[in-house]
Short mmCIF file of all heavy atoms in Angstrom, two decimals:
data_model
loop_
_atom_site.label_atom_id
_atom_site.label_comp_id
_atom_site.label_asym_id
_atom_site.label_seq_id
_atom_site.Cartn_x
_atom_site.Cartn_y
_atom_site.Cartn_z
N MET A 26 0.85 -1.19 -0.01
CA MET A 26 0.03 -0.03 -0.01
C MET A 26 0.90 1.25 -0.03
O MET A 26 1.69 1.38 0.89
CB MET A 26 -0.90 -0.03 1.24
CG MET A 26 -1.76 1.24 1.34
SD MET A 26 -3.11 1.36 0.22
CE MET A 26 -4.25 0.08 0.79
N SER A 27 0.67 2.09 -0.95
CA SER A 27 1.46 3.33 -1.07
C SER A 27 0.56 4.50 -1.23
O SER A 27 -0.60 4.38 -1.84
CB SER A 27 2.44 3.30 -2.18
OG SER A 27 3.26 2.21 -2.14
N ASP A 28 0.89 5.58 -0.63
CA ASP A 28 0.15 6.87 -0.80
C ASP A 28 0.89 7.79 -1.78
O ASP A 28 2.12 8.00 -1.51
CB ASP A 28 -0.09 7.48 0.57
CG ASP A 28 -1.03 6.82 1.40
OD1 ASP A 28 -1.77 5.91 0.80
OD2 ASP A 28 -1.09 7.10 2.58
N TYR A 29 0.17 8.38 -2.65
CA TYR A 29 0.84 9.38 -3.63
C TYR A 29 0.07 10.67 -3.45
O TYR A 29 -1.19 10.63 -3.61
CB TYR A 29 0.83 8.82 -5.05
CG TYR A 29 1.55 7.53 -5.24
CD1 TYR A 29 0.93 6.35 -5.25
CD2 TYR A 29 2.97 7.58 -5.39
CE1 TYR A 29 1.60 5.15 -5.40
CE2 TYR A 29 3.62 6.37 -5.59
CZ TYR A 29 2.91 5.17 -5.59
OH TYR A 29 3.54 3.97 -5.81
N SER A 30 0.80 11.77 -3.37
CA SER A 30 0.10 13.05 -3.39
C SER A 30 0.10 13.48 -4.84
O SER A 30 0.95 13.43 -5.65
CB SER A 30 0.99 14.13 -2.60
OG SER A 30 0.50 14.28 -1.36
N MET A 31 -1.12 14.00 -5.19
CA MET A 31 -1.34 14.46 -6.55
C MET A 31 -0.79 15.87 -6.73
O MET A 31 -0.67 16.67 -5.73
CB MET A 31 -2.81 14.38 -7.02
CG MET A 31 -3.13 12.83 -7.22
SD MET A 31 -4.85 12.72 -8.00
CE MET A 31 -5.75 12.89 -6.52
N GLU A 32 -0.60 16.23 -7.94
CA GLU A 32 -0.11 17.61 -8.31
C GLU A 32 -1.19 18.57 -8.33
O GLU A 32 -2.14 18.28 -9.04
CB GLU A 32 0.75 17.58 -9.59
CG GLU A 32 1.28 18.79 -9.96
CD GLU A 32 1.98 18.84 -11.37
OE1 GLU A 32 1.96 17.73 -11.99
OE2 GLU A 32 2.26 19.89 -11.86
N ILE A 33 -1.11 19.66 -7.66
CA ILE A 33 -2.17 20.75 -7.74
C ILE A 33 -1.90 21.66 -8.94
O ILE A 33 -0.72 22.09 -9.12
CB ILE A 33 -2.10 21.63 -6.42
CG1 ILE A 33 -2.40 20.79 -5.22
CG2 ILE A 33 -3.12 22.71 -6.53
CD1 ILE A 33 -3.79 20.12 -5.18
N ILE A 34 -2.85 21.81 -9.74
CA ILE A 34 -2.75 22.63 -10.93
C ILE A 34 -3.81 23.72 -10.94
O ILE A 34 -4.83 23.62 -10.24
CB ILE A 34 -2.86 21.74 -12.23
CG1 ILE A 34 -4.22 21.10 -12.26
CG2 ILE A 34 -1.79 20.76 -12.25
CD1 ILE A 34 -4.61 20.48 -13.62
N PRO A 35 -3.63 24.77 -11.75
CA PRO A 35 -4.63 25.71 -11.93
C PRO A 35 -5.78 25.07 -12.61
O PRO A 35 -5.66 24.08 -13.36
CB PRO A 35 -4.04 26.80 -12.74
CG PRO A 35 -2.52 26.44 -12.84
CD PRO A 35 -2.40 25.07 -12.57
N LYS A 36 -7.01 25.72 -12.51
CA LYS A 36 -8.19 25.19 -13.24
C LYS A 36 -7.89 25.15 -14.70
O LYS A 36 -7.51 26.14 -15.31
CB LYS A 36 -9.38 26.21 -13.08
CG LYS A 36 -10.66 25.75 -13.65
CD LYS A 36 -11.78 26.70 -13.20
CE LYS A 36 -13.16 26.11 -13.49
NZ LYS A 36 -13.59 26.17 -14.92
N PRO A 37 -8.08 23.92 -15.33
CA PRO A 37 -7.70 23.78 -16.78
C PRO A 37 -8.70 24.56 -17.70
O PRO A 37 -9.85 24.71 -17.26
CB PRO A 37 -7.84 22.32 -17.02
CG PRO A 37 -7.91 21.60 -15.67
CD PRO A 37 -8.51 22.68 -14.79
N GLU A 38 -8.27 25.01 -18.73
CA GLU A 38 -9.11 25.68 -19.77
C GLU A 38 -10.29 24.63 -20.11
O GLU A 38 -9.96 23.40 -20.20
CB GLU A 38 -8.35 25.97 -20.98
CG GLU A 38 -7.34 27.12 -20.90
CD GLU A 38 -7.97 28.53 -20.74
OE1 GLU A 38 -8.96 28.68 -21.42
OE2 GLU A 38 -7.50 29.30 -19.88
N GLU A 39 -11.46 25.14 -20.34
CA GLU A 39 -12.55 24.33 -20.72
C GLU A 39 -12.10 23.44 -21.99
O GLU A 39 -11.63 23.94 -22.96
CB GLU A 39 -13.72 25.22 -21.16
CG GLU A 39 -15.08 24.54 -21.13
CD GLU A 39 -15.65 24.41 -19.79
OE1 GLU A 39 -15.36 25.19 -18.86
OE2 GLU A 39 -16.32 23.34 -19.49
N GLY A 40 -12.37 22.15 -21.87
CA GLY A 40 -12.09 21.21 -23.01
C GLY A 40 -10.63 20.77 -23.19
O GLY A 40 -10.35 20.06 -24.11
N THR A 41 -9.75 21.19 -22.32
CA THR A 41 -8.36 20.80 -22.51
C THR A 41 -7.96 19.64 -21.66
O THR A 41 -6.93 19.08 -21.85
CB THR A 41 -7.45 21.96 -22.15
OG1 THR A 41 -7.62 22.30 -20.77
CG2 THR A 41 -7.64 23.13 -22.98
N ALA A 42 -8.84 19.21 -20.56
CA ALA A 42 -8.51 18.17 -19.83
C ALA A 42 -9.83 17.43 -19.36
O ALA A 42 -10.77 18.01 -19.38
CB ALA A 42 -7.70 18.64 -18.57
N ALA A 43 -9.53 16.18 -19.05
CA ALA A 43 -10.76 15.34 -18.48
C ALA A 43 -10.76 15.62 -17.01
O ALA A 43 -9.87 15.35 -16.28
CB ALA A 43 -10.56 13.89 -18.80
N VAL A 44 -11.89 16.34 -16.58
CA VAL A 44 -12.01 16.80 -15.16
C VAL A 44 -13.08 15.98 -14.48
O VAL A 44 -14.33 16.05 -15.13
CB VAL A 44 -12.32 18.30 -15.16
CG1 VAL A 44 -12.51 18.66 -13.65
CG2 VAL A 44 -11.09 19.06 -15.72
N LEU A 45 -12.82 15.42 -13.36
CA LEU A 45 -13.88 14.73 -12.61
C LEU A 45 -14.27 15.56 -11.44
O LEU A 45 -13.42 15.91 -10.59
CB LEU A 45 -13.47 13.37 -12.12
CG LEU A 45 -13.53 12.25 -13.05
CD1 LEU A 45 -13.07 10.94 -12.41
CD2 LEU A 45 -14.92 12.07 -13.64
N LYS A 46 -15.51 15.99 -11.43
CA LYS A 46 -16.00 16.87 -10.28
C LYS A 46 -17.23 16.33 -9.73
O LYS A 46 -18.20 15.98 -10.52
CB LYS A 46 -16.08 18.25 -10.85
CG LYS A 46 -16.50 19.21 -9.78
CD LYS A 46 -16.53 20.72 -10.22
CE LYS A 46 -16.87 21.57 -9.05
NZ LYS A 46 -16.64 23.04 -9.40
N PHE A 47 -17.44 16.29 -8.49
CA PHE A 47 -18.62 15.86 -7.80
C PHE A 47 -19.28 17.04 -7.11
O PHE A 47 -18.68 17.92 -6.53
CB PHE A 47 -18.29 14.77 -6.73
CG PHE A 47 -18.17 13.37 -7.31
CD1 PHE A 47 -17.18 13.21 -8.40
CD2 PHE A 47 -19.11 12.40 -7.08
CE1 PHE A 47 -17.13 11.87 -8.97
CE2 PHE A 47 -19.00 11.18 -7.74
CZ PHE A 47 -17.99 10.89 -8.71
N ASN A 48 -20.56 17.12 -7.09
CA ASN A 48 -21.30 18.09 -6.39
C ASN A 48 -21.29 17.96 -4.87
O ASN A 48 -21.36 18.85 -4.11
CB ASN A 48 -22.70 18.28 -6.88
CG ASN A 48 -22.75 18.85 -8.31
OD1 ASN A 48 -21.93 19.63 -8.66
ND2 ASN A 48 -23.65 18.35 -9.10
N LYS A 49 -21.24 16.68 -4.48
CA LYS A 49 -21.22 16.36 -3.11
C LYS A 49 -19.88 16.86 -2.41
O LYS A 49 -18.82 16.80 -3.09
CB LYS A 49 -21.20 14.77 -2.86
CG LYS A 49 -21.65 14.36 -1.60
CD LYS A 49 -21.78 12.77 -1.53
CE LYS A 49 -21.29 12.25 -0.28
NZ LYS A 49 -21.06 10.80 -0.35
N LYS A 50 -20.03 17.46 -1.26
CA LYS A 50 -18.83 18.03 -0.57
C LYS A 50 -18.45 17.19 0.62
O LYS A 50 -19.28 16.54 1.19
CB LYS A 50 -19.16 19.44 -0.09
CG LYS A 50 -19.37 20.50 -1.27
CD LYS A 50 -18.06 20.90 -1.78
CE LYS A 50 -18.25 21.70 -3.12
NZ LYS A 50 -17.03 21.67 -3.85
N GLY A 51 -17.19 17.20 0.84
CA GLY A 51 -16.67 16.52 2.13
C GLY A 51 -15.43 15.63 1.73
O GLY A 51 -15.00 15.65 0.70
N LYS A 52 -15.05 14.97 2.90
CA LYS A 52 -13.89 14.12 2.74
C LYS A 52 -14.23 12.75 2.32
O LYS A 52 -14.75 11.99 3.18
CB LYS A 52 -13.09 14.11 4.03
CG LYS A 52 -12.28 15.27 4.24
CD LYS A 52 -11.10 14.99 5.37
CE LYS A 52 -10.02 16.02 5.25
NZ LYS A 52 -8.79 15.56 5.92
N PHE A 53 -14.23 12.36 1.08
CA PHE A 53 -14.49 11.05 0.62
C PHE A 53 -13.70 10.80 -0.66
O PHE A 53 -13.18 11.65 -1.26
CB PHE A 53 -16.04 10.88 0.45
CG PHE A 53 -16.55 11.71 -0.65
CD1 PHE A 53 -16.68 11.27 -1.91
CD2 PHE A 53 -17.11 12.99 -0.33
CE1 PHE A 53 -17.19 12.13 -2.96
CE2 PHE A 53 -17.58 13.82 -1.28
CZ PHE A 53 -17.62 13.35 -2.61
N ALA A 54 -13.74 9.42 -0.97
CA ALA A 54 -12.94 9.05 -2.23
C ALA A 54 -13.83 9.17 -3.33
O ALA A 54 -14.97 8.65 -3.26
CB ALA A 54 -12.35 7.67 -1.97
N ILE A 55 -13.39 9.69 -4.48
CA ILE A 55 -14.25 9.73 -5.74
C ILE A 55 -14.14 8.34 -6.39
O ILE A 55 -15.15 7.82 -6.92
CB ILE A 55 -13.67 10.83 -6.64
CG1 ILE A 55 -14.00 12.18 -5.99
CG2 ILE A 55 -14.27 10.68 -8.00
CD1 ILE A 55 -13.41 13.32 -6.84
N ILE A 56 -13.07 7.75 -6.30
CA ILE A 56 -12.87 6.39 -6.92
C ILE A 56 -12.35 5.37 -5.91
O ILE A 56 -11.43 5.71 -5.14
CB ILE A 56 -11.88 6.50 -8.15
CG1 ILE A 56 -12.50 7.22 -9.30
CG2 ILE A 56 -11.49 5.09 -8.61
CD1 ILE A 56 -11.62 7.35 -10.53
N LYS A 57 -13.03 4.26 -5.84
CA LYS A 57 -12.56 3.18 -4.90
C LYS A 57 -12.44 1.91 -5.73
O LYS A 57 -13.34 1.49 -6.56
CB LYS A 57 -13.58 2.92 -3.84
CG LYS A 57 -13.67 3.97 -2.73
CD LYS A 57 -14.58 3.63 -1.55
CE LYS A 57 -14.70 4.77 -0.69
NZ LYS A 57 -15.77 4.56 0.37
N GLY A 58 -11.28 1.28 -5.55
CA GLY A 58 -10.99 0.06 -6.34
C GLY A 58 -10.57 -1.05 -5.46
O GLY A 58 -10.84 -0.99 -4.14
N ASN A 59 -9.89 -1.98 -6.07
CA ASN A 59 -9.41 -3.13 -5.28
C ASN A 59 -7.81 -3.32 -5.34
O ASN A 59 -7.37 -4.27 -5.06
CB ASN A 59 -9.95 -4.46 -5.80
CG ASN A 59 -11.46 -4.47 -5.61
OD1 ASN A 59 -12.02 -4.23 -4.55
ND2 ASN A 59 -12.16 -4.73 -6.67
N GLY A 60 -7.18 -2.11 -5.72
CA GLY A 60 -5.82 -2.17 -5.84
C GLY A 60 -5.14 -1.88 -4.54
O GLY A 60 -5.70 -2.04 -3.42
N SER A 61 -3.89 -1.40 -4.64
CA SER A 61 -3.05 -1.20 -3.45
C SER A 61 -2.47 0.17 -3.20
O SER A 61 -1.72 0.35 -2.29
CB SER A 61 -1.94 -2.30 -3.45
OG SER A 61 -1.13 -2.10 -4.61
N ASP A 62 -2.92 1.16 -4.09
CA ASP A 62 -2.37 2.50 -3.91
C ASP A 62 -3.46 3.49 -3.69
O ASP A 62 -4.58 3.37 -4.11
CB ASP A 62 -1.58 2.86 -5.13
CG ASP A 62 -0.39 2.03 -5.41
OD1 ASP A 62 0.36 1.68 -4.42
OD2 ASP A 62 -0.25 1.55 -6.50
N ASN A 63 -3.07 4.54 -2.86
CA ASN A 63 -4.04 5.68 -2.66
C ASN A 63 -3.48 6.90 -3.31
O ASN A 63 -2.29 7.16 -3.32
CB ASN A 63 -4.19 5.98 -1.25
CG ASN A 63 -5.00 4.85 -0.51
OD1 ASN A 63 -5.78 4.23 -1.02
ND2 ASN A 63 -4.53 4.67 0.83
N TYR A 64 -4.38 7.78 -3.97
CA TYR A 64 -3.89 9.01 -4.42
C TYR A 64 -4.61 10.07 -3.59
O TYR A 64 -5.90 10.11 -3.44
CB TYR A 64 -4.26 9.19 -5.89
CG TYR A 64 -3.40 8.48 -6.82
CD1 TYR A 64 -3.70 7.16 -7.22
CD2 TYR A 64 -2.18 8.91 -7.19
CE1 TYR A 64 -2.92 6.36 -8.10
CE2 TYR A 64 -1.31 8.21 -8.08
CZ TYR A 64 -1.77 6.97 -8.47
OH TYR A 64 -0.93 6.27 -9.28
N LEU A 65 -3.82 10.99 -3.09
CA LEU A 65 -4.25 11.95 -2.13
C LEU A 65 -4.33 13.34 -2.77
O LEU A 65 -3.42 13.75 -3.57
CB LEU A 65 -3.37 12.05 -0.84
CG LEU A 65 -3.53 10.98 0.22
CD1 LEU A 65 -3.34 9.59 -0.29
CD2 LEU A 65 -2.54 11.24 1.31
N CYS A 66 -5.30 14.22 -2.25
CA CYS A 66 -5.31 15.53 -2.69
C CYS A 66 -3.92 16.20 -2.29
O CYS A 66 -3.51 16.10 -1.17
CB CYS A 66 -6.38 16.31 -2.02
SG CYS A 66 -6.47 18.13 -2.31
N GLY A 67 -3.25 16.85 -3.17
CA GLY A 67 -2.06 17.57 -2.93
C GLY A 67 -2.20 18.77 -1.94
O GLY A 67 -1.16 19.21 -1.38
N ALA A 68 -3.38 19.26 -1.74
CA ALA A 68 -3.53 20.37 -0.88
C ALA A 68 -3.95 20.03 0.44
O ALA A 68 -3.41 20.46 1.47
CB ALA A 68 -4.61 21.31 -1.51
N CYS A 69 -5.00 19.10 0.61
CA CYS A 69 -5.55 18.87 1.97
C CYS A 69 -5.35 17.51 2.41
O CYS A 69 -5.65 17.09 3.54
CB CYS A 69 -7.08 19.25 2.04
SG CYS A 69 -8.11 17.99 1.17
N GLY A 70 -4.90 16.54 1.55
CA GLY A 70 -4.61 15.21 1.93
C GLY A 70 -5.85 14.28 1.97
O GLY A 70 -5.64 13.08 2.30
N ASN A 71 -6.93 14.77 1.49
CA ASN A 71 -8.06 13.87 1.36
C ASN A 71 -7.70 12.81 0.32
O ASN A 71 -7.12 12.92 -0.72
CB ASN A 71 -9.30 14.68 0.75
CG ASN A 71 -10.54 13.79 0.65
OD1 ASN A 71 -10.85 12.86 1.43
ND2 ASN A 71 -11.26 14.12 -0.45
N ILE A 72 -8.19 11.54 0.67
CA ILE A 72 -7.95 10.39 -0.18
C ILE A 72 -8.92 10.45 -1.35
O ILE A 72 -10.15 10.21 -1.07
CB ILE A 72 -7.92 9.04 0.52
CG1 ILE A 72 -6.88 8.92 1.55
CG2 ILE A 72 -7.78 7.87 -0.51
CD1 ILE A 72 -6.99 7.70 2.40
N ILE A 73 -8.54 10.75 -2.49
CA ILE A 73 -9.42 10.91 -3.64
C ILE A 73 -9.58 9.61 -4.43
O ILE A 73 -10.69 9.26 -4.85
CB ILE A 73 -8.99 12.13 -4.63
CG1 ILE A 73 -9.04 13.38 -3.89
CG2 ILE A 73 -9.88 12.11 -5.79
CD1 ILE A 73 -8.70 14.67 -4.59
N CYS A 74 -8.54 8.89 -4.60
CA CYS A 74 -8.58 7.60 -5.31
C CYS A 74 -8.06 6.57 -4.24
O CYS A 74 -6.88 6.55 -3.88
CB CYS A 74 -7.72 7.46 -6.48
SG CYS A 74 -8.15 8.72 -7.72
N GLN A 75 -8.95 5.74 -3.85
CA GLN A 75 -8.60 4.75 -2.70
C GLN A 75 -8.55 3.39 -3.35
O GLN A 75 -9.41 2.87 -4.09
CB GLN A 75 -9.76 4.73 -1.75
CG GLN A 75 -9.38 4.06 -0.45
CD GLN A 75 -10.44 4.40 0.69
OE1 GLN A 75 -11.63 4.51 0.36
NE2 GLN A 75 -9.95 4.62 1.89
N ASN A 76 -7.43 2.71 -3.01
CA ASN A 76 -7.25 1.26 -3.33
C ASN A 76 -7.25 1.11 -4.92
O ASN A 76 -7.99 0.18 -5.39
CB ASN A 76 -8.26 0.31 -2.76
CG ASN A 76 -8.12 0.28 -1.23
OD1 ASN A 76 -7.07 0.58 -0.65
ND2 ASN A 76 -9.16 0.05 -0.53
N VAL A 77 -6.52 1.93 -5.56
CA VAL A 77 -6.36 1.80 -7.02
C VAL A 77 -5.05 1.21 -7.32
O VAL A 77 -4.15 1.24 -6.49
CB VAL A 77 -6.65 3.05 -7.79
CG1 VAL A 77 -8.11 3.55 -7.62
CG2 VAL A 77 -5.71 4.11 -7.37
N ASN A 78 -4.80 0.84 -8.57
CA ASN A 78 -3.41 0.45 -8.93
C ASN A 78 -2.74 1.55 -9.83
O ASN A 78 -3.31 2.16 -10.61
CB ASN A 78 -3.48 -0.83 -9.84
CG ASN A 78 -3.85 -2.05 -9.02
OD1 ASN A 78 -3.28 -2.32 -7.97
ND2 ASN A 78 -4.79 -2.68 -9.46
N ARG A 79 -1.48 1.77 -9.42
CA ARG A 79 -0.72 2.77 -10.04
C ARG A 79 -0.69 2.51 -11.59
O ARG A 79 -0.44 1.35 -12.03
CB ARG A 79 0.76 2.74 -9.49
CG ARG A 79 1.55 4.02 -9.83
CD ARG A 79 2.70 4.03 -8.90
NE ARG A 79 3.72 5.02 -9.29
CZ ARG A 79 3.61 6.33 -9.10
NH1 ARG A 79 2.52 6.81 -8.54
NH2 ARG A 79 4.54 7.17 -9.52
N GLY A 80 -0.95 3.52 -12.35
CA GLY A 80 -1.07 3.22 -13.86
C GLY A 80 -2.48 2.96 -14.35
O GLY A 80 -2.70 2.93 -15.50
N GLN A 81 -3.43 2.62 -13.39
CA GLN A 81 -4.77 2.32 -13.79
C GLN A 81 -5.50 3.53 -14.17
O GLN A 81 -6.32 3.44 -15.13
CB GLN A 81 -5.47 1.73 -12.53
CG GLN A 81 -6.86 1.20 -12.80
CD GLN A 81 -7.51 0.67 -11.47
OE1 GLN A 81 -6.95 0.70 -10.39
NE2 GLN A 81 -8.75 0.20 -11.63
N ILE A 82 -5.23 4.64 -13.62
CA ILE A 82 -5.87 5.86 -14.05
C ILE A 82 -4.69 6.90 -14.44
O ILE A 82 -3.82 7.09 -13.77
CB ILE A 82 -6.56 6.57 -12.71
CG1 ILE A 82 -7.43 5.48 -12.16
CG2 ILE A 82 -7.20 7.83 -13.12
CD1 ILE A 82 -7.87 5.94 -10.74
N ILE A 83 -4.84 7.46 -15.69
CA ILE A 83 -3.89 8.33 -16.23
C ILE A 83 -4.48 9.52 -16.84
O ILE A 83 -5.59 9.50 -17.35
CB ILE A 83 -2.99 7.67 -17.23
CG1 ILE A 83 -3.79 7.01 -18.41
CG2 ILE A 83 -1.99 6.59 -16.65
CD1 ILE A 83 -2.93 6.68 -19.59
N ASN A 84 -3.81 10.64 -16.63
CA ASN A 84 -4.17 11.89 -17.32
C ASN A 84 -5.54 12.31 -16.92
O ASN A 84 -6.39 12.67 -17.78
CB ASN A 84 -4.01 11.94 -18.73
CG ASN A 84 -2.49 11.83 -19.19
OD1 ASN A 84 -1.70 12.45 -18.50
ND2 ASN A 84 -2.20 11.13 -20.27
N LEU A 85 -5.85 12.33 -15.66
CA LEU A 85 -7.19 12.76 -15.24
C LEU A 85 -7.02 13.88 -14.19
O LEU A 85 -6.07 13.90 -13.47
CB LEU A 85 -8.02 11.71 -14.54
CG LEU A 85 -9.04 10.84 -15.38
CD1 LEU A 85 -9.69 9.78 -14.49
CD2 LEU A 85 -10.06 11.75 -16.01
N VAL A 86 -7.97 14.84 -14.20
CA VAL A 86 -7.90 15.89 -13.21
C VAL A 86 -9.11 15.73 -12.22
O VAL A 86 -10.33 15.53 -12.66
CB VAL A 86 -7.99 17.33 -13.85
CG1 VAL A 86 -8.06 18.42 -12.84
CG2 VAL A 86 -6.83 17.50 -14.74
N PHE A 87 -8.84 15.63 -11.02
CA PHE A 87 -9.84 15.52 -10.00
C PHE A 87 -10.03 16.77 -9.24
O PHE A 87 -8.98 17.35 -8.77
CB PHE A 87 -9.49 14.38 -9.02
CG PHE A 87 -9.51 13.01 -9.58
CD1 PHE A 87 -8.23 12.52 -10.04
CD2 PHE A 87 -10.58 12.23 -9.66
CE1 PHE A 87 -8.21 11.12 -10.56
CE2 PHE A 87 -10.61 11.05 -10.21
CZ PHE A 87 -9.38 10.50 -10.69
N VAL A 88 -11.31 17.25 -9.03
CA VAL A 88 -11.49 18.29 -8.19
C VAL A 88 -11.78 17.77 -6.80
O VAL A 88 -12.76 16.90 -6.59
CB VAL A 88 -12.73 19.14 -8.61
CG1 VAL A 88 -12.98 20.39 -7.77
CG2 VAL A 88 -12.58 19.58 -10.12
N CYS A 89 -10.90 18.16 -5.85
CA CYS A 89 -11.12 17.62 -4.50
C CYS A 89 -12.46 17.97 -3.92
O CYS A 89 -12.73 19.21 -3.88
CB CYS A 89 -9.98 18.12 -3.57
SG CYS A 89 -10.07 17.51 -1.91
N PRO A 90 -13.36 17.02 -3.47
CA PRO A 90 -14.58 17.39 -2.93
C PRO A 90 -14.45 18.11 -1.56
O PRO A 90 -15.43 18.74 -1.14
CB PRO A 90 -15.27 16.06 -2.80
CG PRO A 90 -14.21 15.05 -2.67
CD PRO A 90 -13.06 15.63 -3.46
N ASN A 91 -13.30 18.02 -0.96
CA ASN A 91 -13.08 18.61 0.34
C ASN A 91 -12.65 20.09 0.27
O ASN A 91 -13.11 21.00 1.01
CB ASN A 91 -12.16 17.78 1.15
CG ASN A 91 -11.94 18.31 2.54
OD1 ASN A 91 -13.02 18.54 3.22
ND2 ASN A 91 -10.78 18.49 3.06
N CYS A 92 -11.68 20.37 -0.68
CA CYS A 92 -11.11 21.76 -0.70
C CYS A 92 -11.17 22.40 -2.09
O CYS A 92 -10.65 23.49 -2.23
CB CYS A 92 -9.64 21.71 -0.28
SG CYS A 92 -8.53 20.82 -1.34
N ASP A 93 -11.79 21.67 -3.12
CA ASP A 93 -12.01 22.27 -4.42
C ASP A 93 -10.64 22.55 -5.26
O ASP A 93 -10.61 23.26 -6.21
CB ASP A 93 -12.73 23.65 -4.36
CG ASP A 93 -14.31 23.36 -4.12
OD1 ASP A 93 -14.75 22.29 -4.55
OD2 ASP A 93 -14.88 24.22 -3.55
N SER A 94 -9.57 21.86 -4.80
CA SER A 94 -8.39 22.08 -5.58
C SER A 94 -8.33 21.13 -6.82
O SER A 94 -9.03 20.05 -6.79
CB SER A 94 -7.17 21.65 -4.76
OG SER A 94 -7.00 22.56 -3.58
N TYR A 95 -7.63 21.56 -7.81
CA TYR A 95 -7.54 20.69 -9.01
C TYR A 95 -6.29 19.89 -8.87
O TYR A 95 -5.21 20.32 -8.77
CB TYR A 95 -7.52 21.58 -10.27
CG TYR A 95 -8.86 22.19 -10.63
CD1 TYR A 95 -9.34 23.31 -9.88
CD2 TYR A 95 -9.65 21.64 -11.55
CE1 TYR A 95 -10.58 23.82 -10.19
CE2 TYR A 95 -10.90 22.20 -11.84
CZ TYR A 95 -11.35 23.27 -11.18
OH TYR A 95 -12.49 23.85 -11.46
N ASN A 96 -6.46 18.61 -8.86
CA ASN A 96 -5.48 17.61 -8.69
C ASN A 96 -5.21 16.83 -10.00
O ASN A 96 -6.11 16.23 -10.55
CB ASN A 96 -5.80 16.56 -7.58
CG ASN A 96 -5.71 17.09 -6.24
OD1 ASN A 96 -4.65 16.92 -5.61
ND2 ASN A 96 -6.82 17.68 -5.76
N PHE A 97 -4.04 16.95 -10.54
CA PHE A 97 -3.63 16.17 -11.75
C PHE A 97 -3.02 14.83 -11.37
O PHE A 97 -2.04 14.82 -10.70
CB PHE A 97 -2.66 16.99 -12.55
CG PHE A 97 -2.36 16.35 -13.85
CD1 PHE A 97 -3.28 15.94 -14.83
CD2 PHE A 97 -0.97 16.18 -14.16
CE1 PHE A 97 -2.88 15.34 -16.01
CE2 PHE A 97 -0.65 15.55 -15.36
CZ PHE A 97 -1.63 15.14 -16.21
N LEU A 98 -3.72 13.85 -11.93
CA LEU A 98 -3.13 12.53 -11.80
C LEU A 98 -2.54 12.04 -13.09
O LEU A 98 -3.23 11.74 -14.07
CB LEU A 98 -4.27 11.53 -11.37
CG LEU A 98 -3.90 10.31 -10.68
CD1 LEU A 98 -5.09 9.50 -10.17
CD2 LEU A 98 -2.95 9.35 -11.34
N LYS A 99 -1.15 12.13 -13.12
CA LYS A 99 -0.43 11.80 -14.38
C LYS A 99 -0.50 10.22 -14.42
O LYS A 99 -0.59 9.72 -15.57
CB LYS A 99 0.98 12.27 -14.18
CG LYS A 99 1.73 12.27 -15.48
CD LYS A 99 3.06 13.07 -15.47
CE LYS A 99 3.94 12.33 -14.38
NZ LYS A 99 5.29 12.96 -14.48
N GLY A 100 -0.46 9.51 -13.36
CA GLY A 100 -0.60 8.16 -13.38
C GLY A 100 0.62 7.23 -13.53
O GLY A 100 0.57 5.98 -13.45
N THR A 101 1.70 7.83 -13.86
CA THR A 101 2.95 6.99 -13.96
C THR A 101 4.08 7.51 -13.11
O THR A 101 3.98 8.66 -12.49
CB THR A 101 3.51 6.97 -15.43
OG1 THR A 101 3.59 8.33 -15.85
CG2 THR A 101 2.44 6.26 -16.25
ZN1 ZN B 202 -8.29 18.69 -1.04
#
Protein backbone atom coordinates (compact mmCIF):
# COMPACT_ATOMS: atom_id res chain seq x y z
CA MET A 1 0.00 0.00 0.00
CA SER A 2 1.46 3.33 -1.06
CA ASP A 3 0.14 6.85 -0.83
CA TYR A 4 0.83 9.36 -3.58
CA SER A 5 0.14 13.07 -3.39
CA MET A 6 -1.29 14.46 -6.59
CA GLU A 7 -0.04 17.61 -8.25
CA ILE A 8 -2.12 20.73 -7.70
CA ILE A 9 -2.73 22.61 -10.94
CA PRO A 10 -4.68 25.75 -11.90
CA LYS A 11 -8.19 25.22 -13.25
CA PRO A 12 -7.70 23.79 -16.77
CA GLU A 13 -9.12 25.62 -19.76
CA GLU A 14 -12.53 24.32 -20.79
CA GLY A 15 -12.11 21.26 -22.99
CA THR A 16 -8.38 20.81 -22.48
CA ALA A 17 -8.49 18.13 -19.80
CA ALA A 18 -10.72 15.38 -18.48
CA VAL A 19 -11.99 16.76 -15.19
CA LEU A 20 -13.90 14.74 -12.63
CA LYS A 21 -15.95 16.85 -10.30
CA PHE A 22 -18.62 15.87 -7.79
CA ASN A 23 -21.27 18.15 -6.39
CA LYS A 24 -21.18 16.34 -3.08
CA LYS A 25 -18.86 18.02 -0.60
CA GLY A 26 -16.70 16.51 2.08
CA LYS A 27 -13.85 14.13 2.71
CA PHE A 28 -14.50 11.06 0.64
CA ALA A 29 -12.94 9.08 -2.16
CA ILE A 30 -14.21 9.71 -5.68
CA ILE A 31 -12.87 6.40 -6.93
CA LYS A 32 -12.59 3.19 -4.94
CA GLY A 33 -11.03 0.05 -6.30
CA ASN A 34 -9.38 -3.16 -5.26
CA GLY A 35 -5.79 -2.15 -5.82
CA SER A 36 -3.06 -1.23 -3.40
CA ASP A 37 -2.36 2.47 -3.88
CA ASN A 38 -4.02 5.66 -2.70
CA TYR A 39 -3.92 9.03 -4.42
CA LEU A 40 -4.29 11.99 -2.11
CA CYS A 41 -5.26 15.58 -2.69
CA GLY A 42 -2.02 17.54 -2.89
CA ALA A 43 -3.55 20.38 -0.90
CA CYS A 44 -5.57 18.87 1.97
CA GLY A 45 -4.58 15.21 1.99
CA ASN A 46 -8.09 13.86 1.35
CA ILE A 47 -7.88 10.39 -0.21
CA ILE A 48 -9.44 10.93 -3.64
CA CYS A 49 -8.58 7.59 -5.24
CA GLN A 50 -8.63 4.74 -2.76
CA ASN A 51 -7.22 1.27 -3.39
CA VAL A 52 -6.39 1.76 -7.03
CA ASN A 53 -3.42 0.44 -8.95
CA ARG A 54 -0.68 2.78 -10.09
CA GLY A 55 -1.07 3.24 -13.84
CA GLN A 56 -4.75 2.30 -13.77
CA ILE A 57 -5.84 5.94 -14.00
CA ILE A 58 -3.87 8.29 -16.20
CA ASN A 59 -4.16 11.91 -17.27
CA LEU A 60 -7.22 12.79 -15.22
CA VAL A 61 -7.93 15.89 -13.20
CA PHE A 62 -9.89 15.48 -9.98
CA VAL A 63 -11.56 18.33 -8.19
CA CYS A 64 -11.10 17.59 -4.51
CA PRO A 65 -14.57 17.40 -2.91
CA ASN A 66 -13.10 18.65 0.34
CA CYS A 67 -11.12 21.72 -0.72
CA ASP A 68 -11.97 22.29 -4.43
CA SER A 69 -8.35 22.05 -5.55
CA TYR A 70 -7.57 20.72 -9.01
CA ASN A 71 -5.44 17.60 -8.71
CA PHE A 72 -3.66 16.23 -11.74
CA LEU A 73 -3.15 12.50 -11.79
CA LYS A 74 -0.45 11.76 -14.31
CA GLY A 75 -0.60 8.11 -13.35
CA THR A 76 2.95 7.02 -13.93
ZN1 LIG B 1 -8.29 18.68 -1.07
